[in-house]
Amino acid sequence: MPQASVADQAYPNSAVDWISKLISFDTTSRLSNLDLIDFIRSYLERQGLQCVLTHDRSGKKANLFATVPSASGRTTGGIVLSGHTDVVPVDGQAWTSDPFAASIRDGRLYGRGACDMKGFIGVTLQLVPMMLQARPAQPVHLAYSYDEEVGCVGAPGMIEDLVKRGVNPAGCVVGEPTSMRTIVAHKGINAYRCRVHGHAAHSSLTNRGLNAIEYAARIICMIRDIADGHKADGPFDEAFDVPYTTVQASMIRGGIALNTVPDLCEFEFEYRNLPDTSSEEILSRIRAYIDRDILPRMKDEHPSGRVEIEELAKSPGLDAAEQEAITQLVRALTNDHEVRKVAYGTEAGLFQKAGVPAVICGPGNIEQAHRPDEYVTLDQIAQCEKFLAALIGSQVPHGA
């Protein structure tokens, strides 16, 4: 929806007002997030903070990174509070209220992104004046990314930039919805598009064509075999809600007419690997099957046959070390010492890969994410405020 210029905007005061304002920006991943980013940047700059933006290639999307210095003026080390600004589509969903106009009913704040994850971002922004007044013992970094929902595409540029600038945070809390419980691990995300190229012919002359759909189907069945193998034989990690690596084909397109041999079939597939399971091994098995079994048969039928695999998204899993200072601190502040691991992916694995220890903890229940009438409870917002206020007042040493 169109937004007024940032100069005309009134900035919210409470966390609920902040979350409601953020929901009003339609930042569905297929759209630009710049209106929201400009609004946040204007607010932070008026608070005297410097914002660093990293854009995508089109210039239509951006990450925002800002630092609240420590009492001594230090801007390195400290804690990162990380959240993504994009949301999933509402197309075809039966909402009982406008998904981009927040509403409160029965102790719940409704709207697209309310829990995933504008709830967390709204709380962090509401606490900025408190941070500046309290003059924390260590810097607090605000990291807001784009395109997390399509495979954690935006955050790598922001993380690469903070590494180059020597920010060197001691820890990161990614505020995905966990019902304010501590999550110490998640799976890796790997997404690909496979294009199977055949040769078109009239369906009465199938011997002169090469059916791309039929060979794509063979590859998809092999992918299912890999999935069945992991489900039956592991490896397993029972701390995960789904305790094995999962693999699936998800979207497929091909053919132009019933009486035409299809010359192209495209499908997407993904796998979510346990953190200690090689993500490359699965792709290597698929490529080996194509090279060994599929391509020779295709070439026997027609020399134009070929198969291409394109990487769409790739993000590492998270396996937070219990001895890391950020893990111990978040556990202490939430009074939560149960080991929890989740099948969905987050940007925490990217921070860990860059040398920044990370855990996941944020308001809302993941079961509400992506659904119609998405909501976060007001109680969860209040718990998040209390948690972050305590976190900001704590010290996270390096190397603990």
Side-chain angles (χ1 to χ4, degrees):
M1 60 190 302
Q3 302 293 325
S5 69
V6 292
D8 298 328
Q9 300 278 12
Y11 296 108
N13 292 315
S14 71
V16 169
D17 289 342
W18 262 110
I19 298 165
S20 299
K21 183 63 180 179
L22 296 177
I23 288 171
S24 73
F25 292 89
D26 182 354
T27 52
T28 305
S29 301
R30 62 178 176 242
L31 305 176
S32 171
N33 73 334
L34 290 185
D35 283 345
L36 180 146
I37 290 294
D38 287 343
F39 181 74
I40 294 175
R41 177 173 61 175
S42 176
Y43 167 72
L44 295 177
E45 288 178 346
R46 290 191 186 187
Q47 301 291 327
L49 302 181
Q50 181 179 358
C51 299
V52 177
L53 270 58
T54 50
H55 290 81
D56 72 343
R57 292 182 179 180
S58 73
K60 296 179 180 179
K61 299 182 180 184
N63 305 303
L64 184 150
F65 191 88
T67 299
V68 179
S70 69
S72 65
R74 183 163 54 94
T75 58
T76 59
I79 305 172
V80 177
L81 305 179
S82 174
H84 63 81
T85 63
D86 62 316
V87 297
V88 298
V90 298
D91 306 46
Q93 294 186 335
W95 285 72
T96 58
S97 57
D98 185 344
F100 298 107
S103 60
I104 297 176
R105 305 189 298 275
D106 301 322
R108 299 172 176 177
L109 175 61
Y110 289 86
R112 174 55 85 219
C115 77
D116 188 18
M117 55 181 301
K118 292 178 177 179
F120 179 80
I121 295 175
V123 174
T124 64
L125 290 167
Q126 187 267 335
L127 290 174
V128 168
M130 182 275 287
M131 298 183 210
L132 292 169
Q133 184 176 6
R135 296 174 59 81
Q138 62 184 344
V140 179
H141 310 284
L142 305 175
Y144 307 135
S145 65
Y146 68 87
D147 279 4
E148 188 273 349
E149 294 290 7
V150 292
C152 297
V153 174
M158 177 172 59
I159 295 172
E160 180 182 358
D161 177 75
L162 72 88
V163 170
K164 287 181 178 177
R165 291 189 290 114
V167 177
N168 197 25
C172 173
V173 175
V174 177
E176 292 278 0
T178 68
S179 298
M180 294 307 302
R181 297 179 296 184
T182 306
I183 302 295
V184 296
H186 67 68
K187 294 181 180 180
I189 303 172
N190 310 266
Y192 297 90
R193 177 180 294 117
C194 181
R195 294 186 181 93
V196 180
H197 296 268
H199 186 76
H202 194 280
S203 62
S204 64
L205 303 170
T206 56
N207 62 316
R208 299 183 186 179
L210 176 61
N211 193 309
I213 289 179
E214 292 174 355
Y215 280 101
R218 293 178 184 272
I219 300 171
I220 291 171
C221 288
M222 184 270 180
I223 289 173
R224 175 56 189 260
D225 288 342
I226 294 176
D228 290 343
H230 279 280
K231 183 177 181 180
D233 304 322
F236 300 102
D237 185 338
E238 297 299 335
F240 278 91
D241 42 5
V242 181
Y244 49 86
T245 294
T246 59
V247 193
Q248 71 150 3
S250 55
M251 298 179 67
I252 188 168
R253 297 166 295 277
I256 60 170
L258 176 64
N259 62 352
T260 302
V261 176
D263 64 352
L264 176 65
C265 183
E266 296 183 343
F267 67 90
E268 278 88 54
F269 66 95
E270 66 151 25
Y271 50 93
R272 295 175 181 252
N273 60 292
L274 297 175
D276 57 356
T277 300
S278 170
S279 63
E280 298 303 323
E281 186 268 341
I282 294 174
L283 183 63
S284 295
R285 287 180 62 185
I286 296 170
R287 289 189 184 278
Y289 173 73
I290 291 170
D291 291 342
R292 182 187 66 246
D293 295 347
I294 296 298
L295 284 176
R297 295 184 63 173
M298 292 179 71
K299 295 291 187 182
D300 281 347
E301 290 190 36
H302 198 280
S304 64
R306 70 185 194 278
V307 178
E308 304 165 348
I309 295 180
E310 173 192 2
E311 181 181 298
L312 300 178
K314 189 176 183 66
S315 185
L318 169 74
D319 195 0
E322 287 293 337
Q323 67 270 22
E324 291 286 359
I326 189 65
T327 308
Q328 294 180 18
L329 177 58
V330 171
R331 286 201 178 285
L333 294 178
T334 57
N335 193 28
D336 178 17
H337 300 280
E338 183 175 338
V339 176
R340 294 186 181 87
K341 304 179 181 182
V342 293
Y344 60 83
T346 81
E347 295 166 340
L350 292 166
F351 281 97
Q352 184 182 59
K353 186 177 181 181
V356 182
V359 293
I360 311 163
C361 184
N365 189 320
I366 192 63
E367 293 184 3
Q368 301 304 322
H370 301 192
R371 299 176 60 177
D373 288 345
E374 177 184 348
Y375 69 83
V376 61
T377 67
L378 301 183
D379 177 66
Q380 283 281 297
I381 296 171
Q383 288 185 46
C384 185
E385 288 184 83
K386 182 178 179 180
F387 163 73
L388 288 181
L391 180 69
I392 291 162
S394 304
Q395 183 79 17
V396 183
H398 274 284

